[in-house]
Amino acid sequence: MSIHTQRYKSDEEKIENNKEEKTAAQVHAFYFPLISRIVCGMGQLDREHWFRDGSTSSLATRKGSPFRRDDDYPECKRRGYSGTELPQDIWWHIHFLMTMRDAARAACVSRSFLCSWRCYPNLVFNTKIIGMSRDACFTQRVDDILKKHSGIGVKTFDLDFTYCCKQPKAYNYLHRWLQIAVTPGIEKLALVMPGNKDVSFLCPVLSDENGSSVRHLHLAHCAFRPTESLGCLRNLTVLHLNWVRMTGDELGCLLSSCVALERLELRSCHEITYLKIPSWLQRLSYLQVLNCDKLRLLRNEAPNIHSIHLKGRQVEVSLGEALRLKNLDMTGYRVLRYVREELPYSVPNLETISICSRSELVDTTMAFSPSSKFLHLKHVSICIIGTCDYFSLVSLLDAAPLLETFDLHLVTFRNSMGELLSEDPSQHLRRRVGYRHDKLERVKISRFYSSKSLVELTSHILENSASLECLRLDTTDGRGIKCSGERSNKCAHLDSPTEARKAVLVIREHIKRKVPSRVKLQVVEPCKRCYPVELY
C-alpha cells in the first residue's frame, strides 16, 4: 500500500481545512504510524511487493522513504496508539485514495479500515481487480463483497459482466447488485454486458434521486429503453453508449433531460436511424458517433460544440451554425465534396480537419469562392480511398491561409490508379500560380505513387510554400514497420512493390530537383532486403 509523498502533501492541505481543524503536525503524528502499522502487519513478502514502483527494499532500509515504523514515533508508542483519534471522515478520505484491492487488504489488518471498507466509494469489478476468470467464482466474489457493503457513500460502480456470459444464473444477481450500489450520491455508473446475450438495462434504478447525482453513464452490449421517468439525469455530463440497442426517439427522450451534458459518445448503436442534437444542450462540447450503420441523418443544433468525430457510411450531416467548432474528424463517402460545399459557411472557425473519404469523383474540383475561406485552419489530415484528381486539393490549400501542416494518406488499387506519369520528359504538368503559402511548414504524403496529379500537387507545394521546412514522401504503406535484420522477420506488406520502386524513381526525376535548400526532403523507400530491386 503505497501513498506518494506528493499526494500526501495535497491531502494534508485538505485535512487542515477539516471541520475538526486538525493541524499538519497532528496529521503527521497519526497518519504515517497508521500506514506503517498496516503494512507491517501484512508479512514480509506482501510488504516487499506492496509498493507500486516494484522495489523490494523494506520500509526500514528504503532510502528517503516517507514511511516510518511505529518505533520511529516514541510518542505514539508510549500512549499505545490505536488509530481511533482520527475523525471518521478522514478515515474515509484515506480509504478513498486507495485502489479497491489495497482498500480490501487494509481492511483485513485494521479494524478502523474494516469499518470504512463497508462504505468504500469506488466499486470496480473486473478480472484484473477480482483476480478470477471463472464465471462462477467471479460472480460469487462480487456478490460476497456487495452483501457486506452498506450501500452508503458509493461514488463509482463499474462492472464488467462479460465474464459471466456462460452462467445464466448470474443475471439473477444483477438487479440486486444495482439496487445496492446505485443509491443517492452515486456519480459514475459503468456496465458492460456480454455481447451474445439479450439483456436490458434496468432503467428504474436511475429513477428519482438515484439518478440525480449521476455524472458519468457508460453502457455496453445491452438494450436501453429510457422513458420520461429518467428525467432526473439533470447532472449527467458524460454519456457513452457502446453496442447499445435503442432508437433515435428513445435517445432523444433521454437527451431531453440531460441539460448538463458535455460529452456524447455513440458507438455501433445500430437501431439509430436519425439523430438530432438539440439546442438546449448548451454545455455539449464533444460529439462522437462511430459505426452506427443504420444512421442516415445527423442534425446538430448544439451551439457550443467544440469537437466532432463522425464515422459512418452514407450519413447526411447538418452541423448547423457551430461557430465554436474547432476540430472535425469525419469518415464517409465523398467527404471532400461536403468540405467544399458546406464547411466554410457553417463552421468557419475550424482549426483542425481530419477526414477519410471514399468514392470521390475523379474530376472533383475544389474551387472555393473568395468569401468561403478557412481563416483559422492550421492542420489538415486527409485519407483518400480510391482515386481522385489530387491536384484539385490545391484549392483547399489556398482556402486556408494559416495552414501549418498537411498530411495526405492514399489508399489505391491496382486497377484504379488513374493517370500515371509517363516517361516522356516533355509531358505537360499543370501549374497554378498567384498564391503563396506563407505558413505551411510540414507536408507528409503516405503511399506516394507515380500519379501525374500527385506529382503536380507536390510540385505546387514546393514552388509556392515560402515557409516549408520538411517534405516527407513515403512510398510504403506509412505504417513504418521495419524488419529487424533476421530472416524470420519482414517489413510491412506492400501491395505493389514494383509501383513503390517506380515512385522512388519519379521522386528523383521530377521532385528532388525542385526542393529548395532550406527544405528537408525525406523519402521512405521499400526495404532493399525484403524487396530487392532485382524482383521488379
mmCIF file of all heavy atoms in Angstrom, residues 3-18:
data_model
loop_
_atom_site.group_PDB
_atom_site.id
_atom_site.type_symbol
_atom_site.label_atom_id
_atom_site.label_comp_id
_atom_site.label_asym_id
_atom_site.label_seq_id
_atom_site.Cartn_x
_atom_site.Cartn_y
_atom_site.Cartn_z
ATOM 1 N N ILE A 3 1.473 5.228 -0.746
ATOM 2 C CA ILE A 3 0.876 6.557 -0.918
ATOM 3 C C ILE A 3 2.005 7.541 -1.163
ATOM 4 O O ILE A 3 2.891 7.703 -0.334
ATOM 5 C CB ILE A 3 0.061 6.967 0.325
ATOM 6 C CG1 ILE A 3 -1.075 5.957 0.536
ATOM 7 C CG2 ILE A 3 -0.500 8.355 0.163
ATOM 8 C CD1 ILE A 3 -1.925 6.270 1.722
ATOM 9 N N HIS A 4 1.969 8.164 -2.310
ATOM 10 C CA HIS A 4 3.064 9.025 -2.730
ATOM 11 C C HIS A 4 3.175 10.264 -1.848
ATOM 12 O O HIS A 4 2.174 10.782 -1.341
ATOM 13 C CB HIS A 4 2.837 9.448 -4.189
ATOM 14 C CG HIS A 4 4.071 9.978 -4.851
ATOM 15 N ND1 HIS A 4 4.453 11.278 -4.765
ATOM 16 C CD2 HIS A 4 4.996 9.348 -5.615
ATOM 17 C CE1 HIS A 4 5.560 11.454 -5.451
ATOM 18 N NE2 HIS A 4 5.898 10.299 -5.980
ATOM 19 N N THR A 5 4.389 10.721 -1.672
ATOM 20 C CA THR A 5 4.614 11.891 -0.820
ATOM 21 C C THR A 5 3.869 13.114 -1.322
ATOM 22 O O THR A 5 3.281 13.881 -0.555
ATOM 23 C CB THR A 5 6.124 12.203 -0.751
ATOM 24 O OG1 THR A 5 6.805 11.032 -0.333
ATOM 25 C CG2 THR A 5 6.384 13.336 0.210
ATOM 26 N N GLN A 6 3.846 13.269 -2.667
ATOM 27 C CA GLN A 6 3.169 14.437 -3.213
ATOM 28 C C GLN A 6 1.670 14.370 -2.955
ATOM 29 O O GLN A 6 1.027 15.369 -2.655
ATOM 30 C CB GLN A 6 3.429 14.523 -4.718
ATOM 31 C CG GLN A 6 2.838 15.770 -5.370
ATOM 32 C CD GLN A 6 3.187 15.852 -6.832
ATOM 33 O OE1 GLN A 6 3.904 14.994 -7.333
ATOM 34 N NE2 GLN A 6 2.702 16.865 -7.507
ATOM 35 N N ARG A 7 1.106 13.174 -3.062
ATOM 36 C CA ARG A 7 -0.304 13.010 -2.770
ATOM 37 C C ARG A 7 -0.575 13.323 -1.308
ATOM 38 O O ARG A 7 -1.573 13.908 -0.936
ATOM 39 C CB ARG A 7 -0.742 11.577 -3.104
ATOM 40 C CG ARG A 7 -2.184 11.288 -2.726
ATOM 41 C CD ARG A 7 -2.551 9.866 -3.045
ATOM 42 N NE ARG A 7 -2.602 9.666 -4.478
ATOM 43 C CZ ARG A 7 -2.885 8.505 -5.045
ATOM 44 N NH1 ARG A 7 -3.134 7.452 -4.269
ATOM 45 N NH2 ARG A 7 -2.922 8.378 -6.343
ATOM 46 N N TYR A 8 0.362 12.929 -0.433
ATOM 47 C CA TYR A 8 0.189 13.192 0.997
ATOM 48 C C TYR A 8 0.161 14.687 1.266
ATOM 49 O O TYR A 8 -0.636 15.193 2.061
ATOM 50 C CB TYR A 8 1.327 12.538 1.776
ATOM 51 C CG TYR A 8 1.472 13.106 3.171
ATOM 52 C CD1 TYR A 8 0.548 12.821 4.165
ATOM 53 C CD2 TYR A 8 2.539 13.957 3.475
ATOM 54 C CE1 TYR A 8 0.675 13.354 5.427
ATOM 55 C CE2 TYR A 8 2.665 14.491 4.741
ATOM 56 C CZ TYR A 8 1.730 14.181 5.715
ATOM 57 O OH TYR A 8 1.856 14.709 6.945
ATOM 58 N N LYS A 9 1.022 15.436 0.571
ATOM 59 C CA LYS A 9 1.068 16.871 0.818
ATOM 60 C C LYS A 9 -0.254 17.528 0.430
ATOM 61 O O LYS A 9 -0.751 18.403 1.139
ATOM 62 C CB LYS A 9 2.227 17.486 0.040
ATOM 63 C CG LYS A 9 3.596 17.069 0.573
ATOM 64 C CD LYS A 9 4.711 17.742 -0.228
ATOM 65 C CE LYS A 9 6.080 17.350 0.323
ATOM 66 N NZ LYS A 9 7.186 17.966 -0.448
ATOM 67 N N SER A 10 -0.815 17.103 -0.735
ATOM 68 C CA SER A 10 -2.083 17.689 -1.148
ATOM 69 C C SER A 10 -3.204 17.304 -0.192
ATOM 70 O O SER A 10 -4.082 18.104 0.107
ATOM 71 C CB SER A 10 -2.435 17.235 -2.562
ATOM 72 O OG SER A 10 -2.584 15.829 -2.606
ATOM 73 N N ASP A 11 -3.162 16.079 0.298
ATOM 74 C CA ASP A 11 -4.188 15.643 1.241
ATOM 75 C C ASP A 11 -4.035 16.343 2.579
ATOM 76 O O ASP A 11 -5.023 16.604 3.277
ATOM 77 C CB ASP A 11 -4.106 14.123 1.440
ATOM 78 C CG ASP A 11 -4.447 13.386 0.168
ATOM 79 O OD1 ASP A 11 -5.142 13.976 -0.663
ATOM 80 O OD2 ASP A 11 -3.995 12.241 0.035
ATOM 81 N N GLU A 12 -2.788 16.658 2.954
ATOM 82 C CA GLU A 12 -2.556 17.357 4.214
ATOM 83 C C GLU A 12 -3.219 18.731 4.180
ATOM 84 O O GLU A 12 -3.793 19.195 5.172
ATOM 85 C CB GLU A 12 -1.052 17.497 4.440
ATOM 86 C CG GLU A 12 -0.682 18.091 5.792
ATOM 87 C CD GLU A 12 0.814 18.239 5.929
ATOM 88 O OE1 GLU A 12 1.386 19.008 5.147
ATOM 89 O OE2 GLU A 12 1.384 17.592 6.792
ATOM 90 N N GLU A 13 -3.196 19.376 2.993
ATOM 91 C CA GLU A 13 -3.833 20.676 2.875
ATOM 92 C C GLU A 13 -5.354 20.559 3.047
ATOM 93 O O GLU A 13 -5.993 21.441 3.628
ATOM 94 C CB GLU A 13 -3.489 21.282 1.521
ATOM 95 C CG GLU A 13 -2.008 21.590 1.363
ATOM 96 C CD GLU A 13 -1.681 22.073 -0.028
ATOM 97 O OE1 GLU A 13 -2.611 22.158 -0.841
ATOM 98 O OE2 GLU A 13 -0.519 22.373 -0.290
ATOM 99 N N LYS A 14 -5.912 19.459 2.528
ATOM 100 C CA LYS A 14 -7.349 19.265 2.697
ATOM 101 C C LYS A 14 -7.702 19.022 4.162
ATOM 102 O O LYS A 14 -8.728 19.488 4.660
ATOM 103 C CB LYS A 14 -7.808 18.075 1.847
ATOM 104 C CG LYS A 14 -7.628 18.290 0.350
ATOM 105 C CD LYS A 14 -8.067 17.064 -0.422
ATOM 106 C CE LYS A 14 -7.862 17.253 -1.917
ATOM 107 N NZ LYS A 14 -8.269 16.048 -2.676
ATOM 108 N N ILE A 15 -6.853 18.268 4.842
ATOM 109 C CA ILE A 15 -7.137 17.935 6.234
ATOM 110 C C ILE A 15 -7.092 19.181 7.102
ATOM 111 O O ILE A 15 -7.835 19.328 8.071
ATOM 112 C CB ILE A 15 -6.137 16.876 6.735
ATOM 113 C CG1 ILE A 15 -6.365 15.562 5.955
ATOM 114 C CG2 ILE A 15 -6.279 16.618 8.213
ATOM 115 C CD1 ILE A 15 -5.337 14.501 6.245
ATOM 116 N N GLU A 16 -6.223 20.116 6.739
ATOM 117 C CA GLU A 16 -6.109 21.343 7.538
ATOM 118 C C GLU A 16 -7.407 22.136 7.522
ATOM 119 O O GLU A 16 -7.720 22.877 8.449
ATOM 120 C CB GLU A 16 -4.962 22.196 7.003
ATOM 121 C CG GLU A 16 -3.587 21.633 7.312
ATOM 122 C CD GLU A 16 -2.480 22.495 6.732
ATOM 123 O OE1 GLU A 16 -2.806 23.411 5.954
ATOM 124 O OE2 GLU A 16 -1.322 22.268 7.053
ATOM 125 N N ASN A 17 -8.201 21.957 6.430
ATOM 126 C CA ASN A 17 -9.455 22.687 6.327
ATOM 127 C C ASN A 17 -10.637 21.893 6.870
ATOM 128 O O ASN A 17 -11.780 22.295 6.718
ATOM 129 C CB ASN A 17 -9.718 23.043 4.861
ATOM 130 C CG ASN A 17 -8.650 23.959 4.315
ATOM 131 O OD1 ASN A 17 -8.135 24.799 5.041
ATOM 132 N ND2 ASN A 17 -8.323 23.811 3.032
ATOM 133 N N ASN A 18 -10.349 20.763 7.506
ATOM 134 C CA ASN A 18 -11.399 19.915 8.055
ATOM 135 C C ASN A 18 -12.101 20.617 9.214
ATOM 136 O O ASN A 18 -11.544 21.489 9.879
ATOM 137 C CB ASN A 18 -10.786 18.584 8.516
ATOM 138 C CG ASN A 18 -11.855 17.581 8.878
ATOM 139 O OD1 ASN A 18 -12.300 17.546 10.014
ATOM 140 N ND2 ASN A 18 -12.252 16.772 7.902
#
